[in-house]
Structures are given as structure tokens and as C-alpha cells.
Amino acid sequence: MIRKIIHIDEEKCNGCGLCANACHEGAIDLVNGKAKLVRENFCDGFGDCLPECPTGAITFEEREAPAYDAEAVKQAKNSGRRKEQRAMGCPGSRLMQFNRENNGGDRAEGAETAERAAAGYGRPVSRLGQWPVQIKLLPERAPFFDGAKLLIAADCTAYAYASMHEDFMRDRVTVIGCPKLDDVDYSEKLTAILTNNDIRGVTVVRMEVPCCGGLQYAAEQALRNSGKFIPWQVVTISVDGEILDR
């Protein structure tokens, strides 16, 4: 029969696995590092996977395909195969949220608070509150975005500025990218994040190098395109790790 079904462009696919996790029917698997529609009769044509794809590799098409088989989907879910398939997604792109105030930067239960852990062990603790952090891998909607202050940082800043975690990442949702290395338009993803979530503030931390201007430009475009009034600031870090302006 001719019906609407998804199409995955393997050249655009980066193998993150977000689409496989988003597909409630289990129609998509990762095969040799690429997402594939391996069970056409499991695809209902609603496209829950489309908004999750960070590279735009998934589209709709109308073509000859087997009919959607709801009973087969139900049986597969009951058999536990769907749980195994979800586990195939790239660990680097799975949504996670960390409660730093309760676990002190460690995953072990019953750990001290972050402040006590830092004092007790004589080392800094992570202020990263969620995963993933790469702009390309982030979904457009996520629970950790609700009511959050957003830190948009050039990935070099964490290496150049020693107190990045305490001074900027603490109490913020951190997203990072490098416009010189990533061949994508960050403004589209950032616009979607600002539009679809309750973001309370935006801080852009960039390096002084000219290519970092692309990250600042993308953030400014996203703020304008969102149609929202969101307080924002830009902080520039020098190549030797000093704050130049804020």
C-alpha cells in the first residue's frame, strides 16, 4: 500500500540514537553506527522521531510500504525487545539530569553536599547539571530546560578559564559548541530551545578569537527569533584564561 512513512538520510545521520529512543514503536535501530528503519510495519507515520534528530536526517515520504501493524508492535513491547533496542542508543546522547546538591558531584547515594565534598577531598566538583551538552545532540525540549538559566559556551572556554564550573556552570544548564568545527547553524536549534521551553536567562561565554563570534551571533539570532524577552549577557575569555568583559 502507498502510505506516509519516515525516510532516514544516512549521510546526515550522526548515529546519536535519539530517534531510536523517541520511536515508541521500536521501528528504528542503530546499524553500523547509523539509524535505520528496520521494521517498516512498526512505523505509524506520526514522526515522533523527527523533532529529536539533531542533523535533520529524518523526513516524511509517501511510498509503497507494509501497513502499520499495531498488534506486532504490542507483542514486541511485551517481549522486552523494545527495551533492548533503546539500550542501543549512543550513551553520549541519552538525557540525564544530576542533582549536585544531594550527591556532591558523585553518583554514589548518600554522598556529601558539593561544598562539603570539595572541602573534604581537596578538589573541585562538577557543576554539570545535565547530559548531553553538545548543541547538536540536545533535544529541543527537555525537563531540565524548564525554568532554567542557559549557559551557551564555546567548548574551548572550559579549558582556558579555570573556574568555569563555579563561576558559570553552577545553577545553569550548560550547552556547548564550536562554530568552526561543527558544520551546522546553531541558531535553529537554539531558537527551538528558547521557544519551546521556559528559559529564564541566557549567558554566552566565548573566546576572544574571531570564530567564536559565530556562537554569539547564533545566540543573538535565537533570542530575536524566539520572540521572547529573556535577559542575556556575553562574557569573553582571553586565550590565556582571563575575563576580558562581561
Side-chain angles (χ1 to χ4, degrees), residues 127 149-153 157 161 163-174 203-205 233-237 243 245-246:
R127 297 299 182 179
K149 295 179 180 178
L150 190 66
L151 170 64
I152 304 173
T157 57
Y161 186 69
S163 299
M164 189 70 177
H165 281 252
E166 289 299 324
D167 291 356
F168 294 110
M169 292 173 58
R170 184 171 184 170
D171 298 325
R172 291 185 175 99
V173 169
T174 301
T203 297
V204 179
V205 180
Q233 63 171 331
V234 178
V235 180
T236 303
I237 307 294
I243 294 179
D245 59 67
R246 60 187 310 168

Short mmCIF file of all heavy atoms in Angstrom, two decimals, residues 127 149-153 157 161 163-174 203-205 233-237 243 245-246:
data_model
loop_
_atom_site.label_atom_id
_atom_site.label_comp_id
_atom_site.label_asym_id
_atom_site.label_seq_id
_atom_site.Cartn_x
_atom_site.Cartn_y
_atom_site.Cartn_z
N ARG A 127 29.91 20.92 38.27
CA ARG A 127 28.65 21.65 38.34
C ARG A 127 27.77 21.36 37.13
O ARG A 127 26.76 22.03 36.94
CB ARG A 127 28.91 23.15 38.44
CG ARG A 127 29.67 23.56 39.69
CD ARG A 127 28.93 23.20 40.96
NE ARG A 127 29.67 23.65 42.14
CZ ARG A 127 29.24 23.47 43.38
NH1 ARG A 127 28.11 22.84 43.61
NH2 ARG A 127 29.96 23.90 44.40
N LYS A 149 18.27 28.75 33.72
CA LYS A 149 19.16 29.74 33.14
C LYS A 149 20.11 28.97 32.22
O LYS A 149 20.68 27.96 32.62
CB LYS A 149 19.95 30.48 34.22
CG LYS A 149 19.07 31.33 35.13
CD LYS A 149 19.92 32.03 36.20
CE LYS A 149 19.05 32.88 37.11
NZ LYS A 149 19.85 33.52 38.18
N LEU A 150 20.28 29.47 31.00
CA LEU A 150 21.01 28.74 29.98
C LEU A 150 22.41 29.32 29.81
O LEU A 150 22.58 30.53 29.67
CB LEU A 150 20.25 28.81 28.66
CG LEU A 150 20.74 27.91 27.50
CD1 LEU A 150 20.55 26.45 27.85
CD2 LEU A 150 19.99 28.27 26.22
N LEU A 151 23.41 28.45 29.84
CA LEU A 151 24.78 28.84 29.53
C LEU A 151 25.13 28.29 28.16
O LEU A 151 25.14 27.08 27.94
CB LEU A 151 25.75 28.27 30.58
CG LEU A 151 27.24 28.41 30.25
CD1 LEU A 151 27.64 29.88 30.20
CD2 LEU A 151 28.10 27.65 31.25
N ILE A 152 25.40 29.18 27.22
CA ILE A 152 25.84 28.80 25.87
C ILE A 152 27.33 29.10 25.80
O ILE A 152 27.73 30.26 25.79
CB ILE A 152 25.07 29.58 24.79
CG1 ILE A 152 23.56 29.38 24.96
CG2 ILE A 152 25.51 29.16 23.40
CD1 ILE A 152 22.73 30.27 24.03
N ALA A 153 28.14 28.05 25.78
CA ALA A 153 29.58 28.24 25.91
C ALA A 153 30.34 27.65 24.73
O ALA A 153 30.00 26.56 24.24
CB ALA A 153 30.09 27.60 27.21
N THR A 157 36.27 27.32 26.16
CA THR A 157 36.26 28.15 27.36
C THR A 157 36.53 27.35 28.62
O THR A 157 37.15 27.86 29.56
CB THR A 157 34.93 28.91 27.50
OG1 THR A 157 33.84 27.96 27.53
CG2 THR A 157 34.73 29.88 26.35
N TYR A 161 39.47 28.88 30.91
CA TYR A 161 39.08 29.56 32.14
C TYR A 161 38.96 28.54 33.27
O TYR A 161 38.10 27.67 33.26
CB TYR A 161 37.76 30.31 31.94
CG TYR A 161 37.38 31.17 33.11
CD1 TYR A 161 38.11 32.32 33.43
CD2 TYR A 161 36.30 30.84 33.92
CE1 TYR A 161 37.77 33.11 34.51
CE2 TYR A 161 35.95 31.62 35.01
CZ TYR A 161 36.69 32.75 35.31
OH TYR A 161 36.36 33.53 36.39
N SER A 163 37.97 28.53 36.40
CA SER A 163 36.82 28.45 37.32
C SER A 163 35.50 28.37 36.57
O SER A 163 34.48 28.88 37.04
CB SER A 163 36.82 29.67 38.25
OG SER A 163 37.99 29.71 39.03
N MET A 164 35.50 27.73 35.43
CA MET A 164 34.29 27.65 34.59
C MET A 164 33.12 27.03 35.34
O MET A 164 32.00 27.52 35.28
CB MET A 164 34.60 26.84 33.33
CG MET A 164 33.50 26.87 32.29
SD MET A 164 33.39 28.51 31.53
CE MET A 164 32.11 28.22 30.32
N HIS A 165 33.36 25.96 36.06
CA HIS A 165 32.26 25.27 36.76
C HIS A 165 31.64 26.16 37.82
O HIS A 165 30.40 26.28 37.89
CB HIS A 165 32.78 23.97 37.38
CG HIS A 165 32.92 22.85 36.40
ND1 HIS A 165 32.06 21.76 36.37
CD2 HIS A 165 33.79 22.66 35.39
CE1 HIS A 165 32.42 20.95 35.40
NE2 HIS A 165 33.46 21.47 34.78
N GLU A 166 32.45 26.75 38.68
CA GLU A 166 31.91 27.54 39.78
C GLU A 166 31.33 28.87 39.32
O GLU A 166 30.28 29.30 39.78
CB GLU A 166 33.00 27.78 40.83
CG GLU A 166 33.38 26.55 41.62
CD GLU A 166 32.21 25.98 42.40
OE1 GLU A 166 31.38 26.76 42.90
OE2 GLU A 166 32.12 24.74 42.50
N ASP A 167 32.01 29.54 38.38
CA ASP A 167 31.61 30.89 38.01
C ASP A 167 30.50 30.95 36.98
O ASP A 167 29.72 31.92 36.94
CB ASP A 167 32.82 31.67 37.47
CG ASP A 167 33.84 31.97 38.54
OD1 ASP A 167 33.58 31.64 39.71
OD2 ASP A 167 34.91 32.53 38.20
N PHE A 168 30.37 29.90 36.15
CA PHE A 168 29.39 29.97 35.06
C PHE A 168 28.44 28.77 34.99
O PHE A 168 27.25 28.95 34.75
CB PHE A 168 30.11 30.13 33.72
CG PHE A 168 30.83 31.43 33.58
CD1 PHE A 168 32.22 31.47 33.57
CD2 PHE A 168 30.13 32.62 33.47
CE1 PHE A 168 32.89 32.67 33.46
CE2 PHE A 168 30.80 33.84 33.36
CZ PHE A 168 32.18 33.86 33.35
N MET A 169 28.94 27.58 35.20
CA MET A 169 28.09 26.39 35.03
C MET A 169 27.16 26.15 36.22
O MET A 169 26.09 25.57 36.05
CB MET A 169 28.96 25.16 34.79
CG MET A 169 29.69 25.19 33.46
SD MET A 169 30.88 23.84 33.26
CE MET A 169 29.81 22.40 33.47
N ARG A 170 27.56 26.59 37.38
CA ARG A 170 26.75 26.34 38.58
C ARG A 170 25.37 26.97 38.44
O ARG A 170 25.21 28.14 38.10
CB ARG A 170 27.46 26.93 39.80
CG ARG A 170 26.74 26.62 41.11
CD ARG A 170 27.58 27.03 42.29
NE ARG A 170 26.96 26.66 43.55
CZ ARG A 170 27.55 26.72 44.72
NH1 ARG A 170 28.80 27.15 44.80
NH2 ARG A 170 26.92 26.36 45.81
N ASP A 171 24.35 26.16 38.69
CA ASP A 171 22.94 26.58 38.64
C ASP A 171 22.47 26.97 37.24
O ASP A 171 21.48 27.69 37.08
CB ASP A 171 22.66 27.74 39.61
CG ASP A 171 22.93 27.36 41.05
OD1 ASP A 171 22.68 26.19 41.40
OD2 ASP A 171 23.40 28.21 41.83
N ARG A 172 23.20 26.52 36.22
CA ARG A 172 22.79 26.76 34.84
C ARG A 172 22.76 25.45 34.06
O ARG A 172 23.47 24.51 34.40
CB ARG A 172 23.73 27.74 34.14
CG ARG A 172 23.67 29.18 34.64
CD ARG A 172 24.56 30.08 33.78
NE ARG A 172 24.44 31.49 34.15
CZ ARG A 172 25.30 32.12 34.92
NH1 ARG A 172 26.36 31.46 35.41
NH2 ARG A 172 25.15 33.40 35.20
N VAL A 173 21.96 25.43 33.01
CA VAL A 173 22.01 24.34 32.05
C VAL A 173 23.07 24.70 31.01
O VAL A 173 22.99 25.75 30.38
CB VAL A 173 20.64 24.13 31.38
CG1 VAL A 173 20.76 23.18 30.19
CG2 VAL A 173 19.64 23.57 32.38
N THR A 174 24.06 23.85 30.86
CA THR A 174 25.20 24.14 30.00
C THR A 174 25.04 23.50 28.63
O THR A 174 24.79 22.29 28.52
CB THR A 174 26.50 23.61 30.64
OG1 THR A 174 26.69 24.23 31.91
CG2 THR A 174 27.70 23.89 29.76
N THR A 203 23.35 33.21 29.26
CA THR A 203 24.72 33.72 29.35
C THR A 203 25.54 33.06 28.25
O THR A 203 25.56 31.83 28.14
CB THR A 203 25.36 33.40 30.71
OG1 THR A 203 24.62 34.06 31.75
CG2 THR A 203 26.81 33.87 30.77
N VAL A 204 26.18 33.87 27.43
CA VAL A 204 27.06 33.37 26.38
C VAL A 204 28.50 33.58 26.83
O VAL A 204 28.90 34.70 27.16
CB VAL A 204 26.83 34.10 25.04
CG1 VAL A 204 27.78 33.56 23.97
CG2 VAL A 204 25.38 33.95 24.60
N VAL A 205 29.27 32.49 26.89
CA VAL A 205 30.69 32.58 27.22
C VAL A 205 31.48 32.14 26.00
O VAL A 205 31.36 31.00 25.56
CB VAL A 205 31.05 31.72 28.45
CG1 VAL A 205 32.55 31.85 28.76
CG2 VAL A 205 30.23 32.15 29.66
N GLN A 233 23.53 38.01 28.58
CA GLN A 233 24.82 38.69 28.66
C GLN A 233 25.85 37.87 27.90
O GLN A 233 25.67 36.67 27.68
CB GLN A 233 25.27 38.85 30.12
CG GLN A 233 25.51 37.53 30.84
CD GLN A 233 26.15 37.71 32.20
OE1 GLN A 233 26.88 38.68 32.42
NE2 GLN A 233 25.88 36.79 33.11
N VAL A 234 26.93 38.54 27.49
CA VAL A 234 28.04 37.89 26.81
C VAL A 234 29.31 38.12 27.62
O VAL A 234 29.60 39.25 28.03
CB VAL A 234 28.23 38.44 25.38
CG1 VAL A 234 29.44 37.78 24.71
CG2 VAL A 234 26.98 38.20 24.55
N VAL A 235 30.05 37.04 27.86
CA VAL A 235 31.32 37.11 28.57
C VAL A 235 32.41 36.60 27.63
O VAL A 235 32.26 35.53 27.03
CB VAL A 235 31.31 36.26 29.86
CG1 VAL A 235 32.66 36.35 30.57
CG2 VAL A 235 30.18 36.71 30.79
N THR A 236 33.49 37.37 27.50
CA THR A 236 34.58 37.00 26.61
C THR A 236 35.81 36.60 27.42
O THR A 236 36.22 37.33 28.33
CB THR A 236 34.94 38.15 25.66
OG1 THR A 236 33.78 38.54 24.93
CG2 THR A 236 36.03 37.73 24.68
N ILE A 237 36.38 35.43 27.06
CA ILE A 237 37.56 34.91 27.74
C ILE A 237 38.77 35.06 26.82
O ILE A 237 38.69 34.75 25.63
CB ILE A 237 37.38 33.42 28.11
CG1 ILE A 237 36.07 33.21 28.90
CG2 ILE A 237 38.58 32.90 28.88
CD1 ILE A 237 36.05 33.86 30.25
N ILE A 243 39.08 36.95 32.03
CA ILE A 243 37.82 37.54 31.57
C ILE A 243 38.12 38.93 31.02
O ILE A 243 38.65 39.80 31.75
CB ILE A 243 36.79 37.62 32.70
CG1 ILE A 243 36.37 36.21 33.14
CG2 ILE A 243 35.56 38.41 32.26
CD1 ILE A 243 35.36 36.20 34.27
N ASP A 245 35.65 40.94 29.30
CA ASP A 245 34.49 41.81 29.55
C ASP A 245 33.32 40.94 29.92
O ASP A 245 33.28 39.75 29.64
CB ASP A 245 34.17 42.66 28.32
CG ASP A 245 33.88 41.81 27.10
OD1 ASP A 245 32.85 41.09 27.09
OD2 ASP A 245 34.67 41.84 26.14
N ARG A 246 32.34 41.56 30.56
CA ARG A 246 31.12 40.82 30.92
C ARG A 246 30.01 41.81 31.16
O ARG A 246 30.24 42.99 31.34
CB ARG A 246 31.33 39.94 32.15
CG ARG A 246 31.74 40.65 33.43
CD ARG A 246 32.10 39.69 34.53
NE ARG A 246 31.08 38.68 34.70
CZ ARG A 246 31.25 37.57 35.44
NH1 ARG A 246 32.43 37.34 36.02
NH2 ARG A 246 30.30 36.71 35.59
#
